Structures are given as C-alpha cells and as structure tokens.
Amino acid sequence: PMSAMGAAIPGLPAALIDNASGMREVITHLITCHGLRRIAFIRGPGVNDEAEERYHVYRTVLSEHGLPFKPELVTLGNFHMPSGIDAVRTLLDERRVHFDAIVAANDFMALGAMEALHARGIRIPHDVALVGFDDIQDGRFSPIPLTTVRQPLEEQGEEAARLVLDQLDGKPVPETLVLRTELVIRSSCGCMGHMVPDLVVHESEDFEQLLREHGEQILEDMHSVVHRSAVDIDRNYVARLLSAFEAALRGRSEKEFSAAVQETLLEVSVGGMDAWQGALSVLRTHLLPTLGHTPEQLALCEGLLHTARALTGSVAERAQAQKRLELENWSRTLRAVGEALFTSLDVDAVANVVARQLPTLRIRSCYMVLYEGIPSADQQCRLVLCYDADAGGVRPAGDLFSPPQLVPPGLLPTHRRYTYVVEPLLFEREQLGYVLFEMGPRVGFAYETLRDQIGSALKGALLVQQVVAETERRQAAEREHLAKEMQIASSIQTSILPHDVHVEGLDIAAAMLPAEQVGGDYYDVLSCTDGCWLGIGDVAGHGLQTGLMVMMIQSAVAGVARYHPDASPSDVLRVLNTVLFENVRERLRREEHATCTLLRYRRSGEVVFSGAHEDIIVYRAGTRRCELIVTPGAQLAVVANIDAHAVDRRFQLEDGDVLLLYTDGVVAGRDSEQQSFGVERLCGVLEQIGTEPVDVIRDVLVGAVRDWVAVQDDDISVLVARHRAEGSEQFGSAGD
C-alpha cells in the first residue's frame, strides 16, 4: 500500500494542500483589513502548477473586489530569492509603477523583495506591505517578520500515513484529501506581530470565580494565539502555564511559579517569543478587569506576568541560539565528511568513509547500492555498503540482486521498527545508484547534502578507477597501444572542459587545441553567486598521467568552489595542493607537478587571484594597451604545504576591459628558426583586436599562434573574457 503527498499520482490516494484558499485569504486580508488597492504580484515559474494556481487566485480576488488587473504590476520569478530582488528592480526602475503592496508566490521571493525594498529605503509595512506563501523559517525570523500562508505539512504527513494504514486494514480510502492552508499574520503586512482577539470583559467578583466560569475559554484563547505563531504546540503545555499562574495568585511561592514557567518552556520547541508573549497578553486581558479593585493582587499579577515575559524571552533566545549552534555543528560535520569523501579514489574508499562517519551523524544503519552495467529492464544492482550499528557496524557487501528489492533479502532489521530515507545517487543526470539512510536526526538538509557528496565522490572514484585500470593495462601493453592511450587522455582532458558557460557581466570565449601527445592543459569556468571562478593551469609532462592529474585538478577546484563559493582563491589552492600531493606523490608514486592560477571574479569587476602560472594579461579599454599581472606562487604537488606561497592578490576590471588567460603552449611555441611566439607578440596582437567580440579575439589569437609554430608539441589553450559593467551593451556577445 502506498500514498502520495503534495502531488496527485494516478492510481494512488493522495494528501494534497489547497493552495487556492491560502492565497485568497492573504490577498483578501490586504484588501479588506488594510485597504490596499495597487497590489503587485511576483509569479512563480510558468511550468509549475502551484505557481499558476496562486497567480490565478490573485487575478480572481482582484476581480471579486472590483480592482482592475494591471499587467505592469506582475513580474515573473522562479521561487528563488534573487528573482524577488529582480522583481522590485523591474517594478521600480524599468516600469516605474506605483504599488502599495507586494504578494509573492513563495516566501523566498518575498524575502528577496524585502531585501531590495530595504536597500532603497522603502519601509515595510509603512510604505509597502509585503506577504509571501509557505511560512519558511527564514520568513518567521526575518528583520520584519513575514505575513504568509502556512502549509499544514505535518498534518499532510499524518494523513498520508493514515491512508496507508487504512489500506492495510482493508478500509476504503478517498482518492484525494485536500487540506486547508492557514493565514499567519505578522508585521510585514501592517498588523502587530501577534493579534490578541477582542475578549469579553468578565464581571466575576474575583479571579477564582473567573477561572471557574471562564477557565476553558481563557485556555482556548491562549492556545489559539500560541498555535498561530508556533508549530503544533500541545494544549497541555499552555494549561500548565495557566495552572502555575493561578497557584501563584492564590498565595503560593512566586519561585515555584518561575520554575514551572521555565520547566514548561524548556519542554517544548519554542517557535518564537511572540507566540508566548501573545498568550500572556491574552491572560492579562482576561484578568485585569477582575483584579482592578484589589491593588495587592493587581501588583502581584503584573509582577508574575513580567516574570513570565522575561523568562519567555530568555528561553526563546536560548532556544534559537541552540538551534543556530546545532546547524553550525551539522555544517561542520558535513563539511568534514565532504572533505574525507573528496580524496577517496575508489568505490570501496567512498564506502569506508561513509561507514566511518555514520556514528558521528547519528545514523543507525545505511545501505549503498550501485547500478551494474548498462541500464535495462533486467539491470542488476550491487550492494557496495552494508552498515548496521546493531549488527557490529560494517557487514560484508558486494552482493548482486535484482529490482524491485531495495537491498538483498535478509539485510533490513527484523527486531525493531525502522524508517529509511531513500535518496538517488546522481552525477548531473547520470544515475549511479541509490542510498538508504535510516532516519536519525530530523535535519532534512543533512540527508540531501550527504546524497550530493556521495554522488560526486562516487562519480570521481568511478572515473579514477576507469583511468587507473586503463593505465595499468596500457603499462603492460606493447608500444602500438600508445596511440590509444593518447586518445583516452585527450578525451579526459577535453570532456571536462566547460560548455555553454554563462556568467553575468562577462563575455567569455575559450579554446583548447591538444597536442598530438596531450600536454596537460587545464582551464575552467564555474558560475556562482555574484560572478564566477576561473582557473588556468598546466601539468608538467604528457600522456595519460597528465590527463588523470588534470581531472583531479578540475574535480578538486569544482568541488571546493561549488560548496564554498565565497572561499578565497588561496584557500582553494591549499586544498588542491593537499589533494594532489597525497594522490600523486603518496598514492600513485608519481612525480608530476602543475602550475595553476585561480581567479574569483565578481560582478563589480573585482578579481581576486592566487597561484603560479603564466602572467595574466589585461587589455585596458580606456588606453587600448595591455597590462601584465605577475602570478607569483608555488607549483602544486611538489611539497605538502604551500601556505607561505598561497597569497591572495587583487586587480580591478573596468567596463570593456579584456582578461586573457593562456598556457605556455601559446607563448613558448617556436617557429622554424626556434624563435618563441612570446608574451610581447601576444600582447601586440591583442592590442590590435582588443575592441572585437571575444570569440573573434580568441580565434585570431589561436590562429596567430598556429601560424607561428612549426610543430605543435604542446597544448594551446586561451580563455578570453570581457567585463561588462551593469547596463553596458557596447560589445558584441560571446561565443564558446
């Protein structure tokens, strides 16, 4: 028996969420409660059904309230934060429209809009009201808490499980269950952080009579406020707070009341200070009319409420700090796991690293499976890791089995209940296998991060295994097999080159012409937030070993840069040198070494670089002259530690400046009289064509070098990039 969550799957009962009711409620709130009329909308992706449904509700609600639909108030987003920033820019700078509210199809885009409005000095909610959808944690704790729509995700999970249990019991189940969303009022729309409902003034003679007659109503009102601000708070916890307060008013120890308050708060997951402060406000509103004629009790009541507020704030602050520390600890742990996986050169090593780290991650059991052979209907799977802490840790693996089993028979626990998270192991779109993690800590991103790390490590290990196996076979073969080796090396070197790279602010064109005996050139472009990483380098030597080392460099730089895009180039070089030294010198027992320069380009034109390679050439558009930037540093894989030589340096690109990176095959190429092409000649050619599009510059430079050299005995690689300042359109587009 199965059920689906969040999406209707033919043939399966499903627990779905009513997007329409929540979006209708939040837009209606802006119109009826705040009188807003010019409401902008940030749409989600057009191919997403939920995004389109929310957009349709926006138009419908406007029509129902007699408000005209204005296309200029609608922008298209992609559910990510930067598209919310772009939406504000589009509305204010490009369209120059006036609006008094923004509705975003999800919270991430709303938070992007919040950031953009704040940067422009536009106040929320005084100048513009802002609402989102989803109720993510970032919105709850943003500088201006975000009014949004909460999806009942826990209830959805419960209902999906109930659908499965009913099927097990033979009960009929509905085709779909649709759960309503809930409007969460915070301050970004213009309301108070927590809304205390209007309450009836009780005419009881004293607070004891009030509690007898209206205690249940007071408890219900307190719980209602807490439940709207936090997630799934048990009603009994609120009852304990009320009971402790009542006991203190009846003359028991105020210290016991403080202890009871703190004990209660520590036993629950505090969703935010506003939640419990709201409950205390409800209690005060009920009690004050009754206690007003008894100054002593009134003073005691206010003192107790003040104590409770102070304790609530303190516990809430500690809870959030503890959560931050927990996330930081998880990030450090996962980073350590990633670093250990990163240097694993075969599948067994990857499996061993995962097994060693599972106790640290508090994961009780784990099974890792790889697909065997070419994908087909009868494809078999191979178990490469079998770990069960209750059975002594790592157990023998290597078994072949057939789908639809997840693991070979008899391996899953039989003496206890269990829940497994099943994640696919992918490298880009290539399906490598899957992994089963027994549910441990409820930290969702941990399992996703592990999945990505293991998938990348496995792909690297499989590639290395293929290359090493090929190397071992070729070492025992005759000389006629050398041509085949060169073909494989060339394939490795060229297959990892970047394709269809798009970097905001840079027009990029690059080319690599491998020599007959591959020379080990490396270049890469890795897009990231606010710019990209650029790499250029050269491995000493020729042939398959250099191709293997180029692949190590590309994998290491790409892995560190993608997981830590804000790392400094010198830090990435240190990691790269550690990986190369251990793999090349200590494991492969080879003597190859490499030069490499890494550059971190930012959209502003700032470039930070580190490493040793050929001088960087910058063609300055303002002077139409070339500038040489020296790249001092250490060669890689020569010594274990390059800290003294790994230093970050900077330069600035202005609008239209051209950055030229190249390998020694360009400047060291010799003509028939053994004269090298040289840096001076390279700069001269660039100065003649520096205003041309980058693909033209690339082609002319490569053509000039090829025409010069008598015999190409080394790879020829060039990377040309022109910086375009924001708003600049003066140069042609790039071609890769």
Side-chain angles (χ1 to χ4, degrees):
M2 293 187 291
S3 66
M5 286 194 299
I9 299 177
L12 289 184
L16 308 178
I17 288 177
D18 182 7
N19 286 276
S21 63
M23 184 56 72
R24 173 181 293 276
E25 196 171 0
V26 75
I27 298 174
T28 301
H29 176 77
L30 294 176
I31 296 172
T32 59
C33 295
H34 297 284
L36 303 176
R37 294 295 180 265
R38 293 186 61 84
I39 301 175
F41 191 84
I42 308 176
R43 299 175 60 178
V47 297
N48 184 281
D49 292 340
E50 289 187 334
E52 288 301 286
E53 183 179 13
R54 294 170 191 177
Y55 174 56
H56 175 73
V57 171
Y58 161 75
R59 298 190 61 169
T60 301
V61 173
L62 291 183
S63 176
E64 290 173 353
H65 288 83
L67 300 178
F69 169 70
K70 298 182 179 298
E72 64 271 18
L73 291 179
V74 178
T75 63
L76 184 64
N78 59 11
F79 280 160
H80 297 295
M81 194 169 176
S83 65
I85 298 174
D86 291 340
V88 172
R89 178 186 56 78
T90 298
L91 292 170
L92 294 179
D93 298 341
E94 296 181 9
R95 301 179 185 175
R96 300 184 181 277
V97 293
H98 168 71
F99 52 89
D100 48 25
I102 295 178
V103 177
N106 82 333
D107 284 351
F108 280 117
M109 295 191 297
L111 292 173
M114 181 183 293
E115 179 181 316
L117 292 171
H118 176 73
R120 294 166 180 264
I122 298 174
R123 300 172 299 169
I124 302 172
H126 309 288
D127 302 324
V128 173
L130 178 66
V131 299
F133 197 103
D134 285 338
D135 192 26
I136 63 173
Q137 191 175 49
D138 300 56
R140 187 181 307 168
F141 298 110
S142 59
I144 303 169
L146 184 65
T147 294
T148 185
V149 176
R150 177 182 299 148
Q151 302 190 57
L153 299 181
E154 291 200 9
E155 183 183 355
Q156 185 184 27
E158 292 173 0
E159 293 299 334
R162 188 172 290 112
L163 289 172
V164 172
L165 295 174
D166 286 346
Q167 292 176 72
L168 284 170
D169 292 338
K171 299 177 182 178
V173 294
E175 183 177 343
T176 57
L177 286 174
V178 181
L179 308 176
R180 285 185 59 84
T181 50
E182 177 185 359
L183 176 63
V184 180
I185 301 295
R186 298 196 181 100
S187 42
S188 70
C189 67
C191 294
M192 294 292 293
H194 55 265
M195 302 295 291
V196 179
D198 295 332
L199 301 174
V200 177
V201 176
H202 308 292
E203 297 181 354
S204 305
E205 294 181 358
D206 55 33
F207 80 93
E208 294 185 2
Q209 181 180 349
L210 172 66
L211 292 175
R212 284 195 304 271
E213 296 177 355
H214 302 284
E216 283 299 316
Q217 182 60 49
I218 296 173
L219 179 60
E220 183 60 37
D221 291 339
M222 291 175 65
H223 179 259
S224 177
V225 171
V226 173
H227 181 68
R228 284 201 304 270
S229 302
V231 179
D232 196 24
I233 298 299
D234 193 308
R235 194 170 185 268
N236 291 330
Y237 290 121
V238 183
R240 286 168 62 179
L241 281 180
L242 180 59
S243 176
F245 186 85
E246 177 188 354
L249 279 181
R250 285 177 173 166
R252 299 180 190 174
S253 170
E254 294 181 34
K255 291 184 178 180
E256 291 182 7
F257 167 70
S258 299
V261 172
Q262 186 154 323
E263 179 184 358
T264 301
L265 293 176
L266 288 175
E267 289 184 17
V268 302
S269 174
V270 181
M273 186 165 57
D274 281 353
W276 296 98
Q277 299 290 18
L280 295 173
S281 296
V282 168
L283 179 60
R284 184 177 185 275
T285 305
H286 275 286
L287 289 180
L288 279 186
T290 301
L291 301 176
H293 61 282
T294 54
E296 295 81 4
Q297 278 196 326
L298 179 61
L300 177 59
C301 173
E302 293 286 21
L304 292 173
L305 287 171
H306 176 75
T307 298
R309 290 186 189 281
L311 286 171
T312 299
S314 176
V315 171
E317 183 179 3
R318 290 199 302 273
Q320 292 306 319
Q322 186 177 15
K323 190 166 188 177
R324 286 194 300 272
L325 288 173
E326 181 182 359
L327 290 176
E328 290 174 3
N329 289 335
W330 268 104
S331 296
R332 283 195 295 269
T333 300
L334 291 170
R335 186 162 57 247
V337 173
E339 291 172 355
L341 285 170
F342 194 63
T343 57
S344 302
L345 292 181
D346 56 62
V347 173
D348 289 341
V350 172
N352 289 334
V353 168
V354 174
R356 287 198 304 271
Q357 298 296 332
L358 289 172
T360 305
L361 299 167
R362 303 198 299 278
I363 294 176
R364 199 169 178 180
S365 64
C366 173
Y367 305 90
M368 195 160 68
V369 176
L370 295 185
Y371 297 129
E372 191 82 1
I374 301 174
S376 62
D378 57 352
Q379 180 183 37
Q380 289 192 307
C381 303
R382 183 178 298 277
L383 182 70
V384 296
L385 172 62
C386 176
Y387 174 86
D388 189 336
D390 294 348
V394 178
R395 298 165 62 185
D399 297 344
L400 282 172
F401 63 97
S402 301
Q405 295 172 315
L406 286 174
V407 297
L411 290 184
L412 293 177
T414 57
H415 60 286
R416 56 180 170 84
R417 296 183 61 167
Y418 54 80
T419 300
Y420 280 94
V421 178
V422 184
E423 292 280 5
L425 295 176
L426 306 170
F427 183 78
E428 296 181 349
R429 294 187 178 183
E430 181 182 357
Q431 299 183 16
L432 305 176
Y434 55 89
V435 61
L436 286 75
F437 299 110
E438 185 169 0
M439 176 69 78
R442 294 181 177 271
V443 183
F445 77 89
Y447 303 98
E448 296 175 357
T449 302
L450 282 171
R451 170 200 66 197
D452 295 340
Q453 291 176 337
I454 294 172
S456 297
L458 281 173
K459 180 59 178 179
L462 291 171
L463 286 173
V464 169
Q465 279 184 338
Q466 294 172 12
V467 175
V468 171
E470 189 67 24
T471 303
E472 292 173 350
R473 287 194 297 270
R474 297 307 177 190
Q475 287 175 342
E478 298 178 355
R479 290 183 59 87
E480 63 255 30
H481 295 152
L482 180 60
K484 184 64 176 178
E485 287 191 357
M486 293 304 102
Q487 182 181 0
I488 295 171
S490 178
S491 175
I492 293 172
Q493 186 174 11
T494 56
S495 64
I496 61 175
L497 294 177
H499 300 287
D500 298 324
V501 176
H502 299 284
V503 177
E504 185 178 0
L506 279 186
D507 292 334
I508 299 175
M512 175 186 288
L513 279 68
E516 182 176 349
Q517 294 193 6
V518 179
D521 276 10
Y522 152 79
Y523 74 83
D524 207 355
V525 182
L526 302 168
S527 299
C528 61
T529 304
D530 188 36
C532 69
W533 284 85
L534 300 169
I536 188 78
D538 189 6
V539 178
H542 296 82
L544 192 56
Q545 296 296 338
T546 62
L548 174 60
M549 194 165 174
V550 168
M551 186 177 67
M552 292 181 189
I553 294 173
Q554 192 276 338
S555 300
V557 173
V560 178
R562 292 199 185 282
Y563 277 104
H564 307 288
D566 291 324
S568 67
S570 59
D571 287 338
V572 180
L573 275 177
R574 292 186 186 98
V575 174
L576 175 59
N577 184 70
T578 299
V579 171
L580 293 179
F581 186 86
E582 180 179 345
N583 290 344
V584 176
R585 297 278 174 163
E586 297 181 355
R587 296 189 178 185
L588 297 177
R589 303 295 182 183
R590 302 288 299 185
E591 299 294 327
E592 281 82 0
H593 57 276
T595 61
C596 182
T597 296
L598 298 179
L599 304 90
R600 178 62 163 94
Y601 164 82
R602 298 191 181 277
R603 182 66 182 87
S604 62
E606 181 191 35
V607 179
V608 182
F609 70 97
S610 184
H613 190 61
E614 302 295 327
D615 292 346
I616 298 170
I617 297 178
V618 177
Y619 170 84
R620 297 297 185 182
T623 62
R624 299 197 175 187
R625 301 288 293 175
C626 287
E627 175 184 343
L628 292 181
I629 299 175
V630 179
T631 59
Q635 293 185 342
L636 304 180
V638 176
V639 295
N641 189 306
I642 60 168
D643 289 355
H645 304 282
V647 179
D648 290 314
R649 293 173 172 81
R650 289 174 167 76
F651 61 91
Q652 181 71 32
L653 294 176
E654 304 298 338
D655 188 30
D657 286 354
V658 175
L659 173 68
L660 175 60
L661 305 177
Y662 55 96
T663 56
D664 63 351
V666 174
V667 293
R670 297 179 181 275
D671 63 5
S672 58
E673 299 179 3
Q674 296 301 301
Q675 297 295 315
S676 62
F677 188 79
V679 175
E680 183 176 352
R681 184 172 285 103
L682 181 63
C683 291
V685 176
L686 179 56
E687 288 175 353
Q688 294 176 22
I689 59 171
T691 58
E692 297 293 333
V694 290
D695 49 357
V696 174
I697 296 175
R698 173 199 61 195
D699 294 342
V700 172
L701 290 176
V702 171
V705 175
R706 295 188 68 178
D707 291 342
W708 179 267
V709 298
V711 177
Q712 184 186 343
D713 54 9
D714 199 357
D715 299 342
I716 296 174
S717 300
V718 296
L719 188 152
V720 184
R722 172 176 280 118
H723 170 63
R724 293 180 289 105
E726 293 187 8
S728 172
E729 299 292 341
Q730 60 177 308
F731 296 100
S733 60
D736 289 333

